[in-house]
Short mmCIF file of all heavy atoms in Angstrom, two decimals:
data_model
loop_
_atom_site.label_atom_id
_atom_site.label_comp_id
_atom_site.label_asym_id
_atom_site.label_seq_id
_atom_site.Cartn_x
_atom_site.Cartn_y
_atom_site.Cartn_z
N ALA L 53 112.15 157.31 15.40
CA ALA L 53 112.96 158.18 14.63
C ALA L 53 113.09 159.56 15.26
O ALA L 53 114.17 160.12 15.31
CB ALA L 53 112.26 158.35 13.26
N ASP L 54 111.99 160.15 15.64
CA ASP L 54 112.00 161.49 16.22
C ASP L 54 111.25 161.53 17.53
O ASP L 54 110.05 161.86 17.55
CB ASP L 54 111.49 162.48 15.21
CG ASP L 54 111.72 163.96 15.60
OD1 ASP L 54 112.07 164.21 16.78
OD2 ASP L 54 111.52 164.82 14.78
N LEU L 55 111.92 161.22 18.61
CA LEU L 55 111.20 161.03 19.90
C LEU L 55 110.59 162.43 20.34
O LEU L 55 109.49 162.52 20.82
CB LEU L 55 112.14 160.52 20.93
CG LEU L 55 111.58 160.22 22.33
CD1 LEU L 55 110.45 159.13 22.21
CD2 LEU L 55 112.65 159.76 23.31
N LYS L 56 111.42 163.48 20.05
CA LYS L 56 110.92 164.81 20.50
C LYS L 56 109.58 165.13 19.84
O LYS L 56 108.65 165.57 20.49
CB LYS L 56 111.94 165.91 20.16
CG LYS L 56 112.96 166.19 21.19
CD LYS L 56 113.88 167.29 20.83
CE LYS L 56 115.30 167.03 21.39
NZ LYS L 56 116.35 167.11 20.40
N GLN L 57 109.54 164.87 18.54
CA GLN L 57 108.29 165.27 17.80
C GLN L 57 107.14 164.36 18.29
O GLN L 57 106.02 164.85 18.45
CB GLN L 57 108.55 165.09 16.29
CG GLN L 57 107.37 165.63 15.47
CD GLN L 57 107.22 167.14 15.64
OE1 GLN L 57 108.13 167.89 15.64
NE2 GLN L 57 105.99 167.46 15.95
N LEU L 58 107.46 163.09 18.57
CA LEU L 58 106.43 162.18 18.98
C LEU L 58 105.83 162.64 20.34
O LEU L 58 104.61 162.68 20.52
CB LEU L 58 107.04 160.76 19.11
CG LEU L 58 106.09 159.64 19.46
CD1 LEU L 58 104.98 159.51 18.48
CD2 LEU L 58 106.92 158.30 19.57
N LEU L 59 106.72 163.03 21.19
CA LEU L 59 106.26 163.43 22.51
C LEU L 59 105.49 164.80 22.47
O LEU L 59 104.58 165.08 23.21
CB LEU L 59 107.44 163.57 23.50
CG LEU L 59 108.12 162.26 23.77
CD1 LEU L 59 109.34 162.50 24.74
CD2 LEU L 59 107.16 161.30 24.51
N LEU L 60 105.88 165.66 21.49
CA LEU L 60 105.22 166.86 21.23
C LEU L 60 103.78 166.60 20.75
O LEU L 60 102.83 167.17 21.22
CB LEU L 60 105.92 167.69 20.17
CG LEU L 60 106.81 168.85 20.62
CD1 LEU L 60 107.57 169.43 19.40
CD2 LEU L 60 106.06 169.87 21.33
N ASP L 61 103.72 165.68 19.77
CA ASP L 61 102.43 165.35 19.18
C ASP L 61 101.51 164.70 20.24
O ASP L 61 100.32 164.87 20.22
CB ASP L 61 102.60 164.32 18.01
CG ASP L 61 103.28 164.96 16.83
OD1 ASP L 61 103.36 166.25 16.74
OD2 ASP L 61 103.83 164.23 15.99
N ALA L 62 102.09 163.92 21.13
CA ALA L 62 101.40 163.27 22.16
C ALA L 62 100.92 164.22 23.30
O ALA L 62 100.08 163.88 24.09
CB ALA L 62 102.19 162.15 22.84
N GLU L 63 101.57 165.38 23.30
CA GLU L 63 101.32 166.41 24.29
C GLU L 63 101.51 165.76 25.71
O GLU L 63 100.75 166.07 26.63
CB GLU L 63 99.94 167.05 24.19
CG GLU L 63 99.79 167.86 22.90
CD GLU L 63 98.38 168.40 22.72
OE1 GLU L 63 97.64 168.54 23.70
OE2 GLU L 63 98.04 168.73 21.58
N LEU L 64 102.51 164.93 25.86
CA LEU L 64 102.78 164.25 27.11
C LEU L 64 103.24 165.25 28.12
O LEU L 64 104.10 166.07 27.90
CB LEU L 64 103.82 163.13 26.91
CG LEU L 64 104.08 162.29 28.15
CD1 LEU L 64 102.82 161.51 28.60
CD2 LEU L 64 105.24 161.31 27.86
N ARG L 65 102.59 165.19 29.31
CA ARG L 65 103.00 165.98 30.39
C ARG L 65 103.42 165.12 31.59
O ARG L 65 102.96 164.01 31.73
CB ARG L 65 101.85 166.89 30.85
CG ARG L 65 101.57 168.07 29.81
CD ARG L 65 100.38 168.89 30.28
NE ARG L 65 100.18 170.00 29.40
CZ ARG L 65 100.66 171.22 29.65
NH1 ARG L 65 101.40 171.40 30.72
NH2 ARG L 65 100.56 172.19 28.78
N GLY L 66 104.31 165.72 32.40
CA GLY L 66 104.89 165.00 33.49
C GLY L 66 103.86 164.59 34.54
O GLY L 66 102.83 165.25 34.76
N ARG L 67 104.06 163.43 35.17
CA ARG L 67 103.16 162.88 36.12
C ARG L 67 103.71 163.03 37.57
O ARG L 67 103.22 162.32 38.48
CB ARG L 67 102.86 161.41 35.84
CG ARG L 67 102.24 161.09 34.49
CD ARG L 67 100.91 161.86 34.34
NE ARG L 67 100.10 161.21 33.27
CZ ARG L 67 100.02 161.61 32.08
NH1 ARG L 67 100.74 162.66 31.65
NH2 ARG L 67 99.23 160.97 31.16
N GLY L 68 104.67 163.85 37.75
CA GLY L 68 105.22 164.09 39.10
C GLY L 68 104.54 165.11 39.91
O GLY L 68 104.79 165.30 41.06
N GLY L 69 103.60 165.80 39.32
CA GLY L 69 102.90 166.85 40.00
C GLY L 69 102.84 168.18 39.23
O GLY L 69 101.79 168.86 39.35
N ALA L 70 103.90 168.56 38.56
CA ALA L 70 103.84 169.87 37.88
C ALA L 70 103.23 169.84 36.52
O ALA L 70 102.80 170.86 36.03
CB ALA L 70 105.30 170.35 37.79
N GLY L 71 103.12 168.63 35.91
CA GLY L 71 102.49 168.52 34.63
C GLY L 71 103.24 169.25 33.51
O GLY L 71 102.66 169.75 32.52
N PHE L 72 104.53 169.33 33.62
CA PHE L 72 105.34 170.06 32.58
C PHE L 72 105.47 169.23 31.35
O PHE L 72 105.61 168.03 31.37
CB PHE L 72 106.73 170.33 33.22
CG PHE L 72 107.55 171.33 32.48
CD1 PHE L 72 107.37 172.69 32.72
CD2 PHE L 72 108.45 171.04 31.51
CE1 PHE L 72 108.03 173.67 32.06
CE2 PHE L 72 109.21 171.95 30.78
CZ PHE L 72 108.94 173.25 31.09
N PRO L 73 105.41 169.90 30.16
CA PRO L 73 105.46 169.18 28.97
C PRO L 73 106.84 168.46 28.80
O PRO L 73 107.89 169.02 28.86
CB PRO L 73 105.33 170.26 27.85
CG PRO L 73 104.75 171.40 28.55
CD PRO L 73 105.20 171.36 29.98
N THR L 74 106.71 167.16 28.53
CA THR L 74 107.94 166.28 28.53
C THR L 74 108.80 166.62 27.37
O THR L 74 110.05 166.61 27.51
CB THR L 74 107.45 164.82 28.42
OG1 THR L 74 106.50 164.57 29.44
CG2 THR L 74 108.62 163.92 28.53
N ALA L 75 108.26 166.95 26.23
CA ALA L 75 109.14 167.28 25.01
C ALA L 75 109.97 168.52 25.31
O ALA L 75 111.11 168.57 24.94
CB ALA L 75 108.24 167.56 23.76
N ARG L 76 109.42 169.46 25.98
CA ARG L 76 110.18 170.73 26.26
C ARG L 76 111.33 170.39 27.19
O ARG L 76 112.43 170.96 27.05
CB ARG L 76 109.24 171.83 26.95
CG ARG L 76 108.60 172.73 25.92
CD ARG L 76 107.68 173.71 26.50
NE ARG L 76 108.34 174.60 27.49
CZ ARG L 76 107.69 175.41 28.28
NH1 ARG L 76 106.38 175.38 28.40
NH2 ARG L 76 108.41 176.20 29.08
N LYS L 77 111.08 169.58 28.23
CA LYS L 77 112.15 169.23 29.15
C LYS L 77 113.27 168.46 28.40
O LYS L 77 114.46 168.68 28.67
CB LYS L 77 111.60 168.40 30.30
CG LYS L 77 111.86 168.91 31.63
CD LYS L 77 111.53 167.83 32.63
CE LYS L 77 111.20 168.46 33.99
NZ LYS L 77 110.95 167.51 35.04
N LEU L 78 112.86 167.64 27.53
CA LEU L 78 113.81 166.82 26.78
C LEU L 78 114.68 167.72 25.93
O LEU L 78 115.89 167.58 25.89
CB LEU L 78 113.06 165.81 25.93
CG LEU L 78 113.87 164.99 24.88
CD1 LEU L 78 114.95 164.15 25.66
CD2 LEU L 78 113.01 164.05 24.08
N THR L 79 114.06 168.68 25.21
CA THR L 79 114.80 169.61 24.38
C THR L 79 115.79 170.45 25.25
O THR L 79 116.89 170.63 24.86
CB THR L 79 113.76 170.53 23.73
OG1 THR L 79 112.88 169.77 22.98
CG2 THR L 79 114.53 171.51 22.72
N ALA L 80 115.28 170.85 26.39
CA ALA L 80 116.17 171.68 27.24
C ALA L 80 117.36 170.89 27.71
O ALA L 80 118.48 171.38 27.70
CB ALA L 80 115.36 172.15 28.47
N ALA L 81 117.17 169.61 28.13
CA ALA L 81 118.30 168.82 28.58
C ALA L 81 119.26 168.52 27.37
O ALA L 81 120.51 168.43 27.55
CB ALA L 81 117.81 167.50 29.17
N ALA L 82 118.72 168.42 26.17
CA ALA L 82 119.56 168.16 25.03
C ALA L 82 120.39 169.32 24.63
O ALA L 82 121.41 169.18 23.97
CB ALA L 82 118.64 167.76 23.80
N SER L 83 120.04 170.51 25.05
CA SER L 83 120.79 171.70 24.70
C SER L 83 121.81 172.06 25.76
O SER L 83 122.55 173.03 25.66
CB SER L 83 119.85 172.98 24.67
OG SER L 83 118.56 172.55 24.20
N GLY L 84 121.94 171.22 26.79
CA GLY L 84 122.86 171.54 27.85
C GLY L 84 124.34 171.26 27.48
O GLY L 84 124.53 170.68 26.44
N ARG L 85 125.23 171.61 28.35
CA ARG L 85 126.68 171.29 28.08
C ARG L 85 127.09 170.08 28.83
O ARG L 85 126.89 170.05 30.09
CB ARG L 85 127.46 172.53 28.56
CG ARG L 85 128.76 172.61 27.74
CD ARG L 85 129.60 173.80 28.16
NE ARG L 85 128.88 175.04 28.19
CZ ARG L 85 129.27 176.16 28.78
NH1 ARG L 85 130.44 176.18 29.39
NH2 ARG L 85 128.57 177.25 28.69
N GLY L 86 127.71 169.16 28.11
CA GLY L 86 128.14 167.87 28.83
C GLY L 86 127.18 166.78 28.47
O GLY L 86 126.10 166.99 27.99
N ARG L 87 127.66 165.55 28.77
CA ARG L 87 126.85 164.40 28.44
C ARG L 87 125.70 164.29 29.46
O ARG L 87 125.91 164.28 30.67
CB ARG L 87 127.70 163.09 28.54
CG ARG L 87 126.93 161.83 28.18
CD ARG L 87 127.75 160.59 28.30
NE ARG L 87 128.84 160.58 27.36
CZ ARG L 87 128.75 160.25 26.08
NH1 ARG L 87 127.60 159.94 25.57
NH2 ARG L 87 129.86 160.29 25.28
N PRO L 88 124.40 164.30 29.00
CA PRO L 88 123.33 164.26 29.91
C PRO L 88 123.24 162.94 30.72
O PRO L 88 123.70 161.95 30.39
CB PRO L 88 122.09 164.46 29.02
CG PRO L 88 122.68 164.96 27.68
CD PRO L 88 124.05 164.32 27.59
N VAL L 89 122.40 163.06 31.78
CA VAL L 89 122.06 161.93 32.63
C VAL L 89 120.52 161.94 32.71
O VAL L 89 119.91 162.97 32.79
CB VAL L 89 122.63 162.07 34.05
CG1 VAL L 89 122.18 161.01 34.97
CG2 VAL L 89 124.18 162.17 33.98
N VAL L 90 119.91 160.75 32.77
CA VAL L 90 118.51 160.59 33.00
C VAL L 90 118.27 160.18 34.42
O VAL L 90 118.91 159.23 34.87
CB VAL L 90 117.85 159.65 32.00
CG1 VAL L 90 116.34 159.44 32.33
CG2 VAL L 90 117.98 160.13 30.52
N VAL L 91 117.33 160.87 35.11
CA VAL L 91 117.00 160.42 36.47
C VAL L 91 115.54 160.06 36.49
O VAL L 91 114.69 160.81 36.02
CB VAL L 91 117.28 161.60 37.49
CG1 VAL L 91 116.54 161.30 38.82
CG2 VAL L 91 118.75 161.71 37.72
N ALA L 92 115.21 158.88 36.92
CA ALA L 92 113.85 158.42 37.09
C ALA L 92 113.43 158.69 38.54
O ALA L 92 114.07 158.17 39.48
CB ALA L 92 113.74 156.97 36.72
N ASN L 93 112.43 159.54 38.68
CA ASN L 93 112.01 159.97 40.03
C ASN L 93 110.94 159.01 40.54
O ASN L 93 109.71 159.12 40.13
CB ASN L 93 111.53 161.40 39.93
CG ASN L 93 111.30 162.01 41.36
OD1 ASN L 93 111.27 161.31 42.28
ND2 ASN L 93 111.18 163.33 41.37
N GLY L 94 111.24 158.15 41.46
CA GLY L 94 110.32 157.22 42.10
C GLY L 94 110.19 157.60 43.59
O GLY L 94 109.79 156.75 44.38
N ALA L 95 110.56 158.81 43.97
CA ALA L 95 110.67 159.19 45.36
C ALA L 95 109.31 159.36 46.02
O ALA L 95 109.16 159.17 47.21
CB ALA L 95 111.52 160.36 45.60
N GLU L 96 108.29 159.73 45.23
CA GLU L 96 106.90 159.84 45.74
C GLU L 96 106.71 160.36 47.15
O GLU L 96 106.46 159.56 48.08
CB GLU L 96 106.16 158.47 45.59
CG GLU L 96 104.67 158.50 45.76
CD GLU L 96 103.98 157.41 44.96
OE1 GLU L 96 104.39 156.24 45.02
OE2 GLU L 96 102.96 157.68 44.30
N GLY L 97 106.90 161.65 47.34
CA GLY L 97 106.90 162.19 48.67
C GLY L 97 105.51 162.30 49.37
O GLY L 97 105.47 162.30 50.55
N GLU L 98 104.39 162.27 48.59
CA GLU L 98 103.07 162.34 49.21
C GLU L 98 102.87 161.15 50.10
O GLU L 98 102.85 160.01 49.60
CB GLU L 98 102.00 162.44 48.18
CG GLU L 98 101.86 163.78 47.50
CD GLU L 98 101.09 164.83 48.32
OE1 GLU L 98 100.45 164.44 49.33
OE2 GLU L 98 101.19 166.05 48.00
N PRO L 99 102.56 161.34 51.36
CA PRO L 99 102.27 160.22 52.23
C PRO L 99 101.20 159.25 51.75
O PRO L 99 101.27 158.07 51.94
CB PRO L 99 101.92 160.86 53.62
CG PRO L 99 102.50 162.22 53.54
CD PRO L 99 102.47 162.61 52.10
N LEU L 100 100.13 159.83 51.10
CA LEU L 100 99.09 158.98 50.68
C LEU L 100 99.27 158.45 49.25
O LEU L 100 98.39 157.70 48.74
CB LEU L 100 97.74 159.70 50.74
CG LEU L 100 97.30 160.12 52.18
CD1 LEU L 100 95.97 160.89 52.14
CD2 LEU L 100 97.21 158.90 53.02
N GLY L 101 100.34 158.89 48.62
CA GLY L 101 100.60 158.51 47.23
C GLY L 101 101.13 157.05 47.12
O GLY L 101 102.06 156.71 47.80
N LYS L 102 100.50 156.28 46.17
CA LYS L 102 100.96 154.96 46.04
C LYS L 102 101.25 154.60 44.62
O LYS L 102 101.65 153.45 44.29
CB LYS L 102 99.90 153.91 46.58
CG LYS L 102 99.63 154.02 48.04
CD LYS L 102 98.65 152.91 48.46
CE LYS L 102 98.64 152.69 49.95
NZ LYS L 102 97.95 153.75 50.73
N LYS L 103 100.95 155.55 43.71
CA LYS L 103 100.99 155.09 42.28
C LYS L 103 102.36 154.74 41.73
O LYS L 103 102.49 153.81 40.95
CB LYS L 103 100.37 156.16 41.45
CG LYS L 103 101.29 157.46 41.31
CD LYS L 103 100.73 158.41 40.27
CE LYS L 103 101.58 159.65 40.16
NZ LYS L 103 102.74 159.51 39.23
N ASP L 104 103.42 155.49 42.13
CA ASP L 104 104.76 155.24 41.59
C ASP L 104 105.24 153.89 42.01
O ASP L 104 105.81 153.12 41.19
CB ASP L 104 105.67 156.35 42.02
CG ASP L 104 105.38 157.69 41.33
OD1 ASP L 104 104.66 157.69 40.34
OD2 ASP L 104 105.82 158.68 41.82
N ARG L 105 105.10 153.57 43.26
CA ARG L 105 105.50 152.29 43.75
C ARG L 105 104.69 151.12 43.07
O ARG L 105 105.27 150.08 42.62
CB ARG L 105 105.36 152.16 45.29
CG ARG L 105 105.94 150.86 45.81
CD ARG L 105 105.86 150.80 47.34
NE ARG L 105 106.40 149.51 47.78
CZ ARG L 105 107.68 149.22 47.85
NH1 ARG L 105 108.57 150.13 47.50
NH2 ARG L 105 108.08 148.03 48.30
N ALA L 106 103.40 151.34 42.96
CA ALA L 106 102.52 150.34 42.32
C ALA L 106 103.03 150.09 40.86
O ALA L 106 103.14 148.93 40.45
CB ALA L 106 101.08 150.75 42.36
N LEU L 107 103.30 151.19 40.17
CA LEU L 107 103.73 151.09 38.81
C LEU L 107 105.08 150.34 38.65
O LEU L 107 105.22 149.47 37.81
CB LEU L 107 103.84 152.48 38.13
CG LEU L 107 104.27 152.51 36.69
CD1 LEU L 107 103.26 151.94 35.80
CD2 LEU L 107 104.60 153.95 36.32
N LEU L 108 105.98 150.65 39.56
CA LEU L 108 107.32 150.00 39.50
C LEU L 108 107.19 148.46 39.81
O LEU L 108 107.98 147.71 39.27
CB LEU L 108 108.23 150.70 40.50
CG LEU L 108 108.76 152.03 40.09
CD1 LEU L 108 109.41 152.77 41.22
CD2 LEU L 108 109.77 151.92 38.93
#
Side-chain angles (χ1 to χ4, degrees):
Chain L
D54 190 346
L55 186 62
K56 269 184 214 126
Q57 192 57 51
L58 185 59
L59 296 177
L60 261 175
D61 294 340
E63 293 178 22
L64 182 62
R65 286 177 175 268
R67 299 300 202 263
F72 196 82
T74 307
R76 268 177 65 192
K77 234 191 204 185
L78 174 60
T79 304
S83 329
R85 205 179 310 164
R87 183 182 296 280
V89 175
V90 175
V91 165
N93 190 344
E96 194 151 43
E98 284 280 346
L100 297 180
K102 295 187 162 75
K103 71 170 180 84
D104 291 341
R105 185 176 178 78
L107 180 66
L108 286 167

